[in-house]
Amino acid sequence: MTTTNEQWINVCKPDDLIDNAGVCALINDNQQVALFSLPSQPERVFAITNYDPIGSANVLYRGIVGCQNGEPIVASPLYKQQYSLRTGKCIQEETAVTCFKTRIAEGYVQIFRE
Amino acid sequence: MSKQCRVVIVGNGMVGHHCVEQLIELQQQDVKIDITVLSAESRLAYDRVHLSEFFAGKSAQDLALTDESTYDSWQVNYRTNAKVIDIDRENKSISTHVGESFCYDKLILATGSYPFVPPIPGGEQPHCLVYRTIEDLLAIEKSASTSKVGVVIGGGLLGLEAANALKQLGLKTHVVEFAPQLMAVQVDAGGGQVLKEKIEALGVSVHTSKATTSISRGDTYRYKLIFSDDSELETDMILFSAGIRPHDQLARDCQLTVGERGGVTINQQCQTSDPNIYAIGECALFNQMIYGLVAPGYSMAKTAAQHILALPDASQFSGADMSTKLKLMGVDVGSIGDAHAKTEGALCYTYVNQPAGIYKKIVVSEDNQRLLGAVLIGDTSEYDTLLQYKLNDITLPESPETLILPMAENKPTLGADALPDTATICSCLNVTKGDITQAIDQGSCTVADVKSCTKASSGCGGCAALLKSVVDSELESRGVEVKKDICQHFPFSRRELFDIVKIEKIRSFDELLTKHGQGLGCEICKPTAGSILASVWNDYILANEHLALQDTNDNFLANMQKDGTYSVVPRIPGGEITPEKLIKIGEVAQQYKLYTKITGGQRIDMFGARVEQLPEIWKTLIEAGLETGHAYGKSVRTVKSCVGSTWCRFGVQDSVSMAIAIENRYKGIRAPHKLKFAVSGCTRECAEAQSKDIGIIATDKGWNLYVCGNGGMKPRHADLFATDLDDTTLIQYIDRILAFYIQTAERLQRTSVWLESLEGGLAYLQQVVIEDHIGICQSLEQHMTEIIGKYQCEWTTTLNNPEALKRFKQFVNSDESDENIQFVTERNQIRPATEAEKSNQVIAVEVL
């Protein structure tokens, strides 16, 4: 939870990620971020808020990762709505989660906070 | 119509009985219908269509369509052995041969027909019999017991049925037919020839173009038949089956109009020339035609009943299609419409495969546009399609012959959307395409739903394929996806994927995706593949290569609740638990402040565990001798039991021991959906086994096995699968049934729906499992043995695997807990706080 510069934040070590599945990290402000490692995608790591706005619980990192028409998604483990990992938009309902840019730098997985 | 209406029905054959049923079913409250049934036979209605099964082991009771207590409960008066001898139309009364008389407001003649016995000298001796009633069958059976050879005179449909009966009685059987071919009414000469060859191959001698001139004493056997060409045939017994004649004497005696060649003339309401008298079934003549099949008889019965009850929009009888499809001595025979191409200008297409004994002909109109008729021998698979072309006057494809050619390229199949709403899909239960559409409009969305809603395909089942295509096409037209592909990543059904995994020995999702799929997978195909891999190989489901496949429940070996916490269910086999274990469960719940509740499956569920608490909780439980209950898996859950003969005064078997043995045998087995079992120790059924996937009920001789029941959203009573089994056979059958289900069911298909979707249903499952009809029992048992042998308590394995344990925390970078999980107290236990209850708290996610 150290800050390297103003906007890129370290969230965890690359080893903490699980390929094709999710983990959750706690950053400052008690923000929960769900992180997904998808080695086949150019972005490699995706990050979204962990809170499921439909199920009202912090569970998205426990969802199953996959793709829908080529778009990488995670399905909520509660009611199975799919969220795009690129845009955060929910595919079935009019709602969305927040997405973060990610990178692996300085031995950390980092997300960009605007 | 008066407020009371006396209806007298003369005759209690299939059609007469159907009319009773219709009157009972359709009667309105404002009119009291007082029904009297008079049967000249000694018993009430029975199934004459399946008469020959009497010799295959069916009893008179099996063939019965009703019984005295049913008629009593309907308040139907009835007399058996009551032959009506007089109708007094003026006084509206009838009288029987014993002098009893009955008054009527409406009279229905359902007197049926009698077998025509040609006037052959010597034909009235003993052992010269007919084939129509159960009494006839008893006489045939008696005669056959002192006979070696039997002859049926008449090679029509009924004659061949009768020949089958003689064959089943072990007699050397001959069929003698006056015409140059068999089944001359329904089948053309070419088809008759193929039929003859097939029947002779079954060991029945067929003699066509033979007119019997006399029957005299035989040299080797009892009688000798002498034919017009001076040839002879010796036999011990003779069955006449030379056609039927309507029983119309009563009608003649009271001057009702009858046809020149017999039959009581009726109008479209099935009324005779006296409007208060109706005639239905084989005694009735409509449009110069006698309808000798049961289906038109049933429609007449319905029409008459509706007219008598003066129902609005009552149906009319306007003739019936005489197309038939049947199995005669195992030979498939189908006949549609103008089988003999008698229509002017008719054209024929014929396909003959003599070695295989297949003959197919279609008769089309002069312009090649419409199907007029067809004959199918040896293979009736195109019957349904052809019948729809005929009944609905559908335009034929450009090359009509492709309809009957085997393996024709681009063989046209009649799209279900080409059928009009009036098209009959299930002729047994008279279900039209319109009825099916309506069922779908009202919410049915699978073949099984439509089946239970409309009863379509629950008769002979011959229309199953057609029904499915209608349902699929209707769903498709409503935008419902009906592809069997499980999702966009795999163009396969679960069953196909199962076969692929098994045959190609695929061990991981990645391998399956690389070889047969595309994209990354999704929340549908990943758990499905995970379940299949577990069903086939039963590896540890949290092994690295399977980890990303599981739904969260499987992934954290617990059941996620609405707030993201989990519930924990230890296995309590058969619901039996020691006080020590019970106390330990209580202590764990106390220590971690969990909410406890007894489940429907006789176990204890502990709610409110945070993900990071799960390993500690399980460590304590496992140390106390408990193990995982697999409540989180699509797998065998519980075996519920009653206390059984050990304690219960009424128990006849030890249901608890059996339940424990079964639960321990099948625990943890992954299946397309969850599986629940139960064992009851006696017929009082306290364990409610008949609502379970596998239900076992003790008998004084062993166990009765019930299959494919379920509670849930759409309850289904389990079907009785086998009776009085010993322990070994019981387990063997369950092994086979479960393995077959696991291998063939679709994704998330419970056993109840799976059974409904099996073509042939329960009987087919019994054939596969009991008779080894398709020769797979050994491999089913082997499959089951393999997965049982690889059982592990997944929690024990996980606790010994530091890598797997790392995942049991909310945050990879912190040991804190999820702040959003909050509880309040209710009835001295915790429950999740509502959003309102939480609202004065700071919720992390809202900040950004």
Side-chain angles (χ1 to χ4, degrees):
Chain A
M1 281 200 268
T2 48
T3 312
T4 51
N5 59 37
E6 278 179 27
Q7 288 174 312
W8 283 103
I9 318 167
N10 291 344
V11 285
C12 64
K13 299 278 191 183
D15 279 356
D16 292 329
L17 300 176
I18 303 172
D19 282 350
N20 297 308
V23 297
C24 181
L26 190 65
I27 58 171
N28 46 6
D29 305 342
N30 277 339
Q31 174 80 46
Q32 295 189 19
V33 178
L35 298 157
F36 303 93
S37 162
L38 276 70
S40 64
Q41 301 298 303
E43 297 92 335
R44 210 182 110 69
V45 180
F46 295 88
I48 58 172
T49 41
N50 189 38
Y51 187 75
D52 175 351
I54 293 167
S56 305
N58 289 312
V59 293
L60 288 182
Y61 82 98
R62 296 181 216 157
I64 290 179
V65 178
C67 70
Q68 189 71 29
N69 302 321
E71 178 96 348
I73 52 107
V74 62
S76 161
L78 281 170
Y79 302 108
K80 313 297 176 197
Q81 294 88 359
Q82 299 170 323
Y83 295 88
S84 162
L85 295 178
R86 289 215 169 94
T87 65
K89 279 186 67 151
C90 177
I91 290 170
Q92 287 79 17
E93 313 267 337
E94 280 291 314
T95 184
V97 294
T98 307
C99 278
F100 305 95
K101 276 190 218 156
T102 66
R103 70 178 186 190
I104 295 175
E106 301 159 27
Y108 283 94
V109 178
Q110 301 183 327
I111 63 167
F112 188 76
R113 292 196 67 176
E114 290 174 21
Chain B
M1 194 159 68
S2 63
K3 290 290 170 193
Q4 164 135 9
C5 178
R6 292 163 301 179
V7 178
V8 174
I9 303 177
V10 184
N12 194 232
M14 296 178 79
V15 171
H17 169 64
H18 191 73
C19 194
V20 175
E21 285 183 324
Q22 290 291 317
L23 286 167
I24 295 294
E25 189 186 318
L26 300 172
Q27 66 180 324
Q28 313 288 303
Q29 282 184 343
D30 53 334
V31 184
K32 167 94 180 71
I33 298 285
D34 177 19
I35 303 172
T36 301
V37 170
L38 302 165
S39 170
E41 285 191 56
S42 65
R43 58 191 98 228
L44 291 177
Y46 52 89
D47 184 354
R48 249 189 263 279
V49 171
H50 295 100
L51 209 54
S52 68
E53 290 173 19
F54 187 75
F55 294 123
K58 285 217 173 167
S59 65
Q61 206 179 348
D62 293 332
L63 291 172
L65 294 175
T66 185
D67 55 31
E68 282 75 7
S69 62
T70 306
Y71 273 14
D72 285 340
S73 71
W74 291 347
Q75 297 178 336
V76 170
N77 311 312
Y78 56 87
R79 297 281 186 281
T80 48
N81 294 312
K83 190 171 160 55
V84 175
I85 51 164
D86 182 52
I87 300 174
D88 180 351
R89 286 168 56 189
E90 204 169 315
N91 294 309
K92 290 189 162 178
S93 82
I94 57 121
S95 48
T96 68
H97 70 300
V98 292
E100 200 175 5
S101 61
F102 299 88
C103 291
Y104 64 83
D105 296 306
K106 302 287 178 187
L107 178 67
I108 301 173
L109 301 177
T111 46
S113 62
Y114 60 93
F116 170 63
V117 177
I120 299 170
E124 287 174 9
Q125 305 176 71
H127 302 283
C128 296
L129 304 166
V130 295
Y131 177 85
R132 178 164 177 90
T133 66
I134 288 183
E135 269 62 37
D136 293 337
L137 298 190
L138 294 171
I140 291 168
E141 201 170 26
K142 185 155 173 265
S143 165
S145 67
T146 59
S147 301
K148 288 200 173 69
V149 181
V151 167
V152 177
I153 297 187
L157 198 158
L158 278 174
L160 294 180
E161 285 275 351
N164 192 30
L166 292 186
K167 191 167 162 274
Q168 281 171 331
L169 288 168
L171 268 56
K172 166 78 189 117
T173 306
H174 298 267
V175 173
V176 172
E177 169 58 46
F178 174 76
Q181 67 160 97
L182 295 174
M183 288 186 73
V185 177
Q186 296 90 352
V187 170
D188 66 335
Q193 182 58 33
V194 174
L195 182 61
K196 180 181 172 194
E197 285 163 15
K198 286 190 88 91
I199 283 173
E200 291 197 315
L202 294 166
V204 173
S205 307
V206 179
H207 312 266
T208 48
S209 303
K210 294 283 184 193
T212 312
T213 51
S214 70
I215 297 166
S216 56
R217 176 187 290 273
D219 301 324
T220 319
Y221 301 106
R222 202 173 278 138
Y223 300 122
K224 181 190 285 179
L225 272 64
I226 300 171
F227 301 121
S228 57
D229 59 3
D230 294 331
S231 58
E232 302 172 351
L233 177 64
E234 291 218 359
T235 181
D236 287 319
M237 66 178 295
I238 296 160
L239 285 189
F240 289 105
S241 180
I244 55 165
R245 295 288 182 269
H247 252 310
D248 57 9
Q249 196 55 46
L250 270 179
R252 289 174 190 271
D253 291 346
C254 66
Q255 284 84 47
L256 293 174
T257 308
V258 294
E260 255 176 56
R261 297 195 317 192
V264 190
T265 308
I266 57 168
N267 63 14
Q268 288 193 317
Q269 282 71 43
C270 297
Q271 287 165 300
T272 64
S273 50
D274 177 338
N276 290 318
I277 303 180
Y278 297 75
I280 57 178
E282 290 179 335
C283 67
L285 182 74
F286 177 79
N287 221 356
Q288 297 306 313
M289 175 105 176
I290 299 270
Y291 291 89
L293 293 177
V294 71
Y298 279 181
S299 3
M300 289 186 213
K302 186 174 171 186
T303 301
Q306 291 183 346
H307 194 251
I308 288 170
L309 296 168
L311 296 186
D313 40 81
S315 63
Q316 293 198 333
F317 184 78
S318 49
D321 179 66
M322 295 293 278
S323 302
T324 47
K325 176 171 79 166
L326 68 165
K327 236 186 180 46
L328 284 169
M329 299 190 218
V331 180
D332 288 310
V333 178
S335 167
I336 294 174
D338 183 8
H340 296 278
K342 285 181 183 157
T343 312
E344 206 182 320
L347 304 168
C348 294
Y349 296 89
T350 312
Y351 167 78
V352 187
N353 178 342
Q354 206 174 1
I358 294 171
Y359 177 91
K360 302 178 193 178
K361 181 178 85 170
I362 51 172
V363 181
V364 306
S365 60
E366 195 170 7
D367 60 3
N368 229 358
Q369 296 288 302
R370 303 274 177 257
L371 187 78
L372 302 172
V375 177
L376 302 167
I377 309 287
D379 174 9
T380 51
S381 51
E382 286 101 1
Y383 178 87
D384 289 337
T385 302
L386 293 173
L387 185 62
Q388 295 300 334
Y389 271 104
K390 165 77 170 65
L391 294 182
N392 301 302
D393 224 13
I394 297 168
T395 309
L396 287 167
E398 205 171 313
S399 308
E401 70 276 17
T402 51
L403 289 169
I404 52 167
L405 289 180
M407 291 173 291
E409 258 181 61
N410 303 322
K411 184 167 185 160
T413 46
L414 188 56
D417 47 353
L419 299 175
D421 275 354
T422 50
T424 301
I425 304 302
C426 170
S427 48
C428 298
L429 280 300
N430 195 21
V431 180
T432 63
K433 184 182 165 190
D435 297 332
I436 292 167
T437 315
Q438 201 184 358
I440 292 173
D441 286 340
Q442 288 164 1
S444 297
C445 48
T446 63
V447 172
D449 290 349
V450 171
K451 216 167 141 177
S452 68
C453 175
T454 63
K455 303 277 176 281
S457 199
S458 60
C460 72
C463 61
L466 182 63
L467 174 67
K468 181 174 182 312
S469 70
V470 171
V471 172
D472 285 354
S473 112
E474 284 301 312
L475 287 173
E476 230 159 61
S477 71
R478 287 161 172 73
V480 180
E481 185 84 9
V482 288
K483 275 192 300 187
K484 283 281 182 142
D485 299 1
I486 59 165
C487 66
Q488 58 178 261
H489 306 106
F490 289 97
F492 301 104
S493 66
R494 179 199 178 266
R495 184 181 178 162
E496 289 163 338
L497 281 178
F498 187 98
D499 291 340
I500 289 170
V501 166
K502 197 165 182 210
I503 292 159
E504 300 184 15
K505 301 202 180 344
I506 289 177
R507 309 284 303 216
S508 73
F509 179 75
D510 284 347
E511 189 184 348
L512 186 63
L513 190 68
T514 312
K515 287 189 177 159
H516 299 283
Q518 57 174 3
L520 300 175
C522 66
E523 78 285 359
I524 307 284
C525 60
K526 282 182 164 182
T528 304
S531 159
I532 291 171
L533 290 166
S535 289
V536 177
W537 311 115
N538 208 9
D539 291 334
Y540 175 47
I541 61 159
L542 299 189
N544 279 340
E545 66 270 28
H546 304 322
L547 193 64
L549 303 182
Q550 312 299 338
D551 267 322
T552 186
N553 285 356
D554 265 324
N555 223 333
F556 291 92
L557 306 171
N559 293 44
M560 186 189 268
Q561 303 302 327
K562 61 191 287 188
D563 60 348
T565 63
Y566 289 89
S567 76
V568 170
V569 188
R571 185 168 295 287
I572 302 179
E576 183 187 84
I577 185 163
T578 62
E580 289 71 25
K581 286 181 181 169
L582 210 46
I583 288 167
K584 186 53 76 176
I585 290 175
E587 284 173 356
V588 166
Q590 219 165 28
Q591 183 184 348
Y592 293 93
K593 296 195 172 51
L594 305 175
Y595 166 83
T596 54
K597 188 171 188 311
I598 309 289
T599 71
Q602 300 184 333
R603 332 203 259 189
I604 298 165
D605 205 343
M606 292 174 271
F607 292 77
R610 296 161 185 273
V611 64
E612 64 271 19
Q613 294 176 320
L614 291 171
E616 305 163 40
I617 290 174
W618 271 106
K619 189 161 177 286
T620 321
L621 292 171
I622 285 169
E623 279 166 5
L626 290 152
E627 62 176 350
T628 183
H630 289 97
Y632 44 81
K634 301 291 180 223
S635 60
V636 176
R637 297 273 177 91
T638 66
V639 183
K640 185 176 176 180
S641 71
C642 68
V643 75
S645 58
T646 320
W647 289 89
C648 178
R649 285 177 293 149
F650 305 111
V652 292
Q653 303 282 351
D654 182 357
S655 52
V656 176
S657 295
M658 179 55 82
I660 293 172
I662 288 180
E663 184 155 344
N664 282 327
R665 181 173 181 80
Y666 300 110
K667 60 189 174 190
I669 286 175
R670 304 279 155 159
H673 212 303
K674 65 185 171 188
L675 286 164
K676 296 182 175 184
F677 299 6
V679 184
S680 277
C682 79
T683 180
R684 285 171 182 74
E685 241 286 67
C686 296
E688 298 168 334
Q690 287 168 95
S691 64
K692 299 290 189 272
D693 297 283
I694 297 286
I696 298 157
I697 301 177
T699 69
D700 50 1
K701 297 188 199 68
W703 306 96
N704 283 353
L705 173 59
Y706 289 78
V707 298
C708 303
N710 77 252
M713 193 159 56
K714 218 176 130 207
R716 179 183 191 278
H717 255 272
D719 288 312
L720 179 60
F721 183 81
T723 54
D724 294 328
L725 301 174
D726 59 41
D727 291 7
T728 315
T729 314
L730 176 69
I731 298 292
Q732 187 180 46
Y733 285 177
I734 300 174
D735 272 8
R736 293 174 183 176
I737 292 165
L738 289 182
F740 192 48
Y741 164 64
I742 289 169
Q743 294 183 7
T744 59
E746 291 304 333
R747 187 181 84 91
L748 300 186
Q749 189 174 44
R750 290 206 59 177
T751 56
S752 54
V753 183
W754 170 69
L755 183 69
E756 303 270 320
S757 72
L758 275 187
E759 211 171 302
L762 178 69
Y764 176 68
L765 186 62
Q766 287 166 327
Q767 284 176 347
V768 171
V769 169
I770 301 175
E771 297 160 25
D772 201 7
H773 182 64
I774 54 177
I776 59 166
C777 283
Q778 202 190 341
S779 85
L780 292 175
E781 283 175 33
Q782 194 190 339
H783 178 198
M784 194 44 75
T785 309
E786 279 168 17
I787 50 181
I788 289 169
K790 293 181 99 177
Y791 170 79
Q792 54 189 309
C793 167
E794 286 152 355
W795 265 110
T796 308
T797 312
T798 302
L799 290 174
N800 291 322
N801 183 337
E803 201 51 35
L805 280 178
K806 278 211 292 202
R807 292 175 36 262
F808 286 87
K809 48 196 296 203
Q810 181 78 5
F811 305 115
V812 283
N813 60 346
S814 161
D815 289 330
E816 300 207 14
S817 293
D818 180 1
E819 284 189 348
N820 189 42
I821 296 173
Q822 293 167 29
F823 303 111
V824 293
T825 304
E826 189 171 290
R827 291 186 298 276
N828 303 320
Q829 296 208 70
I830 59 155
R831 68 158 171 80
T834 63
E835 290 303 304
E837 285 161 344
K838 287 187 210 168
S839 63
N840 54 350
Q841 312 279 337
V842 178
I843 296 171
V845 80
E846 300 292 339
V847 184
L848 197 73

